Amino acid sequence: MPNMSPKKNEMPAQEANIRNQNFLEVTLGYSEEQAIDEAKRCLNCKHKPCIKGCPVQIEIPAFIQEVAQGNFEEAYQIISLSSSLPAVCGRVCPQESQCEEKCVRGIKGEPVGIGRLERFVADYHNAHVTTAPQKPQPNGHKVAVIGSGPAGLACAGDLAKKGYSVTVFEALHLAGGVLVYGIPEFRLPKSIVQKEIDTLKELGVTVETNMIIGKTVSIDELMEEYGFESVFIGSGAGLPRFMNIPGENLKGVYSANEFLTRVNLMKAYKPDSSTPIQKSSRVAVVGGGNVAMDAARCAKRLGAEVTIIYRRTEKELPARLEEVEHAMEEGIEFKFLTNPVAINGNAEGWTTSIRCEQMVLSQPDESGRAKPVRLENSEFDIEVDCVIMSIGTSPNPLIKSTTEGLDTHKWGGIVANEETGATSRKGVYAGGDAVTGAATVILAMGAGKAAAKSMDEYIHGIGE
Amino acid sequence: MYQILRKEALNPTVTLMEVMAPMIAKKAEPGQFIILRVDENGERIPLTIADFDRTKGTITIIFQIVGATTEALNHLNEGDYIHDFAGPLGRKTETEGLKRVAVVGGGVGCAIAYPVAKRLHEQGCKVDTIAGFRSQDLVILEDEFKAVSDRMFLMTDDGSAGEKGLVTDALKKLIEEGTQYDEVITIGPLIMMKFVCALTKKYDIKTTASMNPIMIDGTGMCGGCRLSVGGKTKFACVDGPDFDGHEIDFDEAIARSATYKPFERQAHTDVCNLFNMEVK
């Protein structure tokens, strides 16, 4: 009998006023009982709309049925056929606009908590199953993956499972890409990312850190001198964007990437860290995406009063619903329909306030969203000593500028076939933010998986 | 892990290290930099490549002990390992086609000026080097510069070595004597570069300044190294570190570079105390 409750099982979480002072994980995950009860809400409907909403096409109803019967490891095996990072995706995917958006139960009530179940299954597996995965039979082919973020890891995982000798090249000192420098510990514990990377290593994947492809070694050298038959570029988003408003280079103005890298990758939130971070009392975060929420919630945990400044309304916020809710619960203030026009500073060059103007929404623009337009004579100042710009990124020029014949779009992204990941260079594939501009972890993973399939076909002379 | 093959104290606060890093040595060019972390929990800091040897596979770094990381680095010895060492980063200094150049270095910045002067010299360019220091005990690379320069002018603030005066005094004199430079390349403290650029602007001589702002990843991700150049935001790690000195907003760069001064001072004291305790 399905559980016909209109509401999802709530996920236990740390109390908002306690968690906003620590970096421990916010949500605590389902218990076995809660997971089974939630799984029973799935109607196991014939047309499985949820799968269509999943960028990597996990057999969602099948894994949920296993959970409903208490077969958690079986459920894990079903998920891992499609996803190499379930513990990550269960935590950071925007489920409400993917699988859960399509769930039939969502028509009258809340959809099945697919993301929470995925997380439960992955955590159960990680806690209970310690046997190393079986190493695949080597197939004698050598491939390279540039970047160890979600796109690269997904691509490496799929290729390793097919028996390829895979080397992942990472520019930073630690593998994981945005999962370690961008997404904070309280949303995605680093131990979980490490566990996923360890699993890949057990499959035989080599990870080379401190290797800046395009600088230390070029793509041409990887293929010609080092014998990699095919290369996947998953080098991520790139340069942070700024608004080009006066005062943006004052002391106390960060890009979200810099702020998050200091806090997460370099552990500046720990008192004994050797990486400095400004001790701010009032912080403004400009932007409304997941990165903005992450930056705001980190700043809050470092002890500041935080305001998120967003030029549209709550309805248009691009961040995951759960992150917005969590941020609000944690006491972060939101100023909607507000747009910065300048940052003011004192004589020593420190930020003192951010000047904003009021916006109103007008007709939809080319993005399909209502366009914010400025309201005349509506300027006002918010007193802050730190501003974090979180308005997106533009592609990194490093690989483009050092790889002959690699076509890029006018805006800098690598040109790659949407389905295969093929670039203008034979044997070179690309995916993730380097191709699409900043998007989500799961879309990057989907692109990595698609490229892995194409690379396999390319090396075996199929297609092309 | 990257082994230190040679360590030499150039003066009480400036140390040279030759580090085994064959892949970086193969690619390194004058003007580029590396990012290192001394140990597992260390901070990432950029340091300019002072020299490289492609045959031996080594990179030479020269650093001034100012903060906790450089202090900790200085406590490593020959045979020890640096945990992370990544590069070469940034664009190389453009030296092609130059016939007569003044290389103006200040303090530990001379470590960066040296490979540039050397490259220019190798290309048959006439090089006048002006190297400035506070006093005699801080002088570095004097003989090295002499070997690659047509003329070498050593300046000290107190006159304890070379001539008493600022690098700009020497440069001004050379220009006014009628030396025609294709370009002036300057590397050193921001305030020095600011005045060098102000001087050359008066004489309308193309000037390149090598910037060394706050930086974390060095690959164009964090945006910490941004500068205003010609009114536009540029990133030193991917667009630089060399920029047109007449276009740089030095005042802004000077302010930004001081962001973590109090933190650095405190961290340096802490690390020193830690090492002192170990010694006891």
Side-chain angles (χ1 to χ4, degrees):
Chain A
M1 255 313 270
N3 165 5
M4 291 313 288
S5 159
K7 285 203 161 273
K8 285 183 202 180
N9 276 276
E10 282 223 20
M11 177 132 67
Q14 274 197 76
E15 189 66 44
N17 280 324
I18 294 171
R19 71 174 189 245
N20 67 11
Q21 295 167 54
N22 67 53
F23 277 80
L24 301 174
E25 195 168 16
V26 165
T27 52
L28 306 170
Y30 280 159
S31 65
E32 292 184 16
E33 294 71 29
Q34 286 167 322
I36 292 173
D37 191 57
E38 184 62 27
K40 285 182 174 163
R41 292 185 65 231
C42 173
L43 302 173
N44 197 15
C45 47
K46 232 184 223 148
H47 62 300
K48 305 175 172 113
C50 50
I51 300 181
K52 291 190 196 79
C54 172
V56 298
Q57 318 270 286
I58 293 174
E59 287 288 339
I60 294 166
F63 101 74
I64 293 181
Q65 293 315 303
E66 294 292 353
V67 176
Q69 289 164 38
N71 302 329
F72 306 135
E73 180 56 23
E74 283 77 359
Y76 178 83
Q77 293 305 329
I78 293 171
I79 297 175
S80 65
L81 291 175
S82 318
S83 170
S84 30
L85 307 169
V88 174
C89 293
R91 286 172 166 82
V92 304
C93 271
Q95 290 98 3
E96 75 268 13
S97 58
Q98 295 178 339
C99 52
E100 294 182 17
E101 185 183 46
K102 306 269 200 280
C103 178
V104 172
R105 291 298 301 267
I107 301 167
K108 285 185 189 170
E110 290 183 350
V112 176
I114 300 169
R116 294 172 185 184
L117 288 172
E118 181 186 24
R119 167 182 165 161
F120 168 81
V121 167
D123 287 357
Y124 180 90
H125 171 85
N126 287 345
H128 293 87
V129 180
T130 47
T131 49
Q134 224 182 345
K135 252 193 197 171
Q137 193 66 32
N139 70 3
H141 293 286
K142 207 171 143 187
V143 292
V145 169
I146 303 167
S148 63
L153 294 181
C155 184
D158 278 17
L159 289 167
K161 284 178 194 161
K162 289 189 165 84
Y164 285 93
S165 157
V166 185
T167 306
V168 177
F169 296 100
E170 168 56 47
L172 290 170
H173 56 266
L174 191 66
V178 71
L179 305 175
V180 294
Y181 76 73
I183 304 178
E185 182 75 16
F186 57 81
R187 193 148 83 79
L188 178 66
K190 300 299 155 267
S191 58
I192 284 169
V193 181
Q194 194 50 53
K195 171 93 189 162
E196 304 282 16
I197 291 163
D198 290 344
T199 306
L200 286 181
K201 286 185 177 164
E202 282 164 4
L203 282 172
V205 172
T206 309
V207 180
E208 299 263 12
T209 52
N210 296 320
M211 286 285 286
I212 302 142
I213 305 303
K215 286 288 181 186
T216 319
V217 182
S218 69
I219 288 185
D220 293 292
E221 287 168 324
L222 285 180
M223 299 183 85
E224 285 153 25
E225 288 176 35
Y226 294 88
F228 291 101
E229 295 163 71
S230 182
V231 176
F232 174 73
I233 307 170
S235 52
L239 302 160
R241 283 217 184 96
F242 289 92
M243 296 184 75
N244 296 316
I245 55 175
E248 229 170 358
N249 291 339
L250 285 166
K251 286 181 279 187
V253 183
Y254 288 93
S255 76
N257 273 359
E258 180 185 359
F259 184 77
L260 289 171
T261 302
R262 285 181 185 276
V263 175
N264 300 321
L265 180 75
M266 303 310 297
K267 306 272 176 258
Y269 68 90
K270 293 185 174 171
D272 60 347
S273 169
S274 39
T275 296
I277 189 105
Q278 192 188 323
K279 295 269 171 283
S280 312
S281 54
R282 294 182 65 90
V283 175
V285 177
V286 180
N290 286 322
V291 178
M293 299 303 137
D294 286 342
R297 295 169 73 196
C298 284
K300 180 82 191 175
R301 282 160 172 77
L302 293 171
E305 289 301 312
V306 184
T307 306
I308 285 181
I309 295 173
Y310 182 58
R311 61 193 186 132
R312 294 185 167 92
T313 71
E314 182 174 352
K315 214 170 77 203
E316 286 88 17
L317 278 174
R320 276 182 88 206
L321 188 63
E322 187 176 282
E323 309 318 325
V324 175
E325 285 171 3
H326 282 161
M328 288 179 170
E329 286 166 18
E330 287 166 13
I332 286 158
E333 199 188 328
F334 283 73
K335 282 223 181 291
F336 294 111
L337 291 169
T338 302
N339 196 44
V341 290
I343 299 163
N344 305 311
N346 62 18
E348 287 83 48
W350 285 100
T351 300
T352 54
S353 67
I354 181 163
R355 175 153 299 173
C356 300
E357 57 187 6
Q358 210 62 52
M359 310 297 275
V360 284
L361 287 187
S362 107
Q363 297 303 307
D365 61 11
E366 59 275 16
S367 73
R369 298 178 299 175
K371 190 183 166 155
V373 287
R374 55 191 295 266
L375 202 64
E376 291 293 327
N377 303 318
S378 64
E379 289 191 3
F380 63 100
D381 287 349
I382 306 172
E383 269 183 44
V384 290
D385 52 4
C386 174
V387 174
I388 301 170
M389 285 292 170
S390 179
I391 53 167
T393 55
S394 53
N396 191 311
L398 254 180
I399 287 178
K400 177 184 76 175
S401 63
T402 54
T403 312
E404 292 259 338
L406 184 71
D407 289 351
T408 51
H409 294 285
K410 218 190 246 163
W411 52 270
I414 298 169
V415 177
N417 181 296
E418 217 174 289
E419 272 158 40
T420 64
T423 67
S424 56
R425 280 284 305 266
K426 199 163 175 263
V428 178
Y429 296 79
D433 288 2
V435 169
T436 58
T440 61
V441 168
I442 189 74
L443 282 173
M445 278 185 57
K449 290 180 72 71
K453 184 166 172 278
S454 312
M455 289 162 79
D456 181 46
E457 289 170 357
Y458 164 75
I459 286 174
H460 288 101
I462 309 163
E464 314 220 4
Chain B
M1 299 286 267
Y2 302 80
Q3 193 171 30
I4 299 162
L5 300 187
R6 182 161 74 97
K7 180 186 177 186
E8 197 183 316
L10 299 186
N11 69 39
T13 62
V14 176
T15 303
L16 172 151
M17 279 180 182
E18 199 176 344
V19 181
M20 195 66 186
M23 294 185 90
I24 304 175
K26 201 175 151 194
K27 289 294 173 63
E29 296 283 356
Q32 291 188 300
F33 61 94
I34 54 98
I35 285 207
L36 63 76
R37 282 202 317 160
V38 175
D39 54 48
E40 216 178 333
N41 296 312
E43 165 190 34
R44 294 173 65 92
I45 60 158
L47 287 174
T48 306
I49 294 169
D51 208 350
F52 50 86
D53 186 325
R54 299 204 204 282
T55 337
K56 273 163 71 189
T58 58
I59 295 285
T60 302
I61 49 172
I62 293 176
F63 57 94
Q64 184 157 30
I65 303 152
V66 280
T69 302
T70 41
E71 181 71 45
L73 181 61
N74 194 46
H75 273 76
L76 296 181
N77 291 308
E78 283 174 12
D80 290 346
Y81 290 85
I82 297 172
H83 201 280
D84 297 291
F85 203 78
L89 291 157
R91 293 161 177 269
K92 65 173 184 176
T93 301
E94 295 298 340
T95 51
E96 281 79 25
L98 297 174
K99 299 275 179 279
R100 177 135 217 179
V101 172
V103 175
V104 184
V108 74
C110 289
I112 310 160
Y114 171 66
V116 176
K118 186 176 161 192
R119 171 62 60 88
L120 287 164
H121 177 73
E122 283 165 3
Q123 288 174 353
C125 173
K126 278 188 185 265
V127 181
D128 285 344
T129 298
I130 305 168
F133 303 91
R134 280 207 308 278
S135 61
Q136 184 181 16
D137 54 339
L138 299 176
V139 174
I140 57 169
L141 299 172
E142 188 181 354
D143 295 338
E144 285 84 348
F145 272 120
K146 275 186 182 149
V148 298
S149 308
D150 289 74
R151 293 184 286 178
M152 151 89 185
F153 304 89
L154 179 63
M155 308 294 291
T156 50
D157 293 356
D158 60 2
S160 52
E163 241 180 281
K164 184 175 155 77
L166 301 171
V167 289
T168 39
D169 299 334
L171 182 62
K172 186 163 189 253
K173 196 167 156 228
L174 288 167
I175 295 168
E176 289 187 342
E177 277 170 10
T179 319
Q180 297 279 328
Y181 293 113
D182 303 338
E183 191 171 330
V184 171
I185 298 177
T186 182
I187 308 148
L190 288 166
I191 190 76
M192 180 202 91
M193 292 196 286
K194 176 183 165 173
F195 284 109
V196 168
C197 293
L199 175 72
T200 57
K201 192 164 180 148
K202 264 198 279 185
Y203 297 98
D204 199 23
I205 305 168
K206 185 185 172 196
T207 303
T208 298
S210 174
M211 304 299 277
N212 184 17
I214 290 168
M215 200 177 273
I216 308 178
D217 65 296
T219 63
M221 187 266 280
C222 82
C225 66
R226 66 190 188 276
L227 311 154
S228 295
V229 182
K232 291 205 177 82
T233 294
K234 296 278 180 189
F235 300 97
C237 67
V238 289
D239 300 322
D242 291 353
F243 293 99
D244 179 342
H246 298 153
E247 298 275 311
I248 297 168
D249 184 338
F250 276 106
D251 293 336
E252 180 188 278
I254 288 166
R256 276 184 68 77
S257 72
T259 303
Y260 297 112
K261 276 276 154 64
F263 181 99
E264 278 165 15
R265 260 197 298 273
Q266 185 57 45
H268 183 220
T269 313
D270 292 349
V271 166
C272 289
N273 291 342
L274 203 67
F275 283 126
N276 287 341
M277 260 158 44
E278 276 173 17
V279 171
K280 274 179 200 162

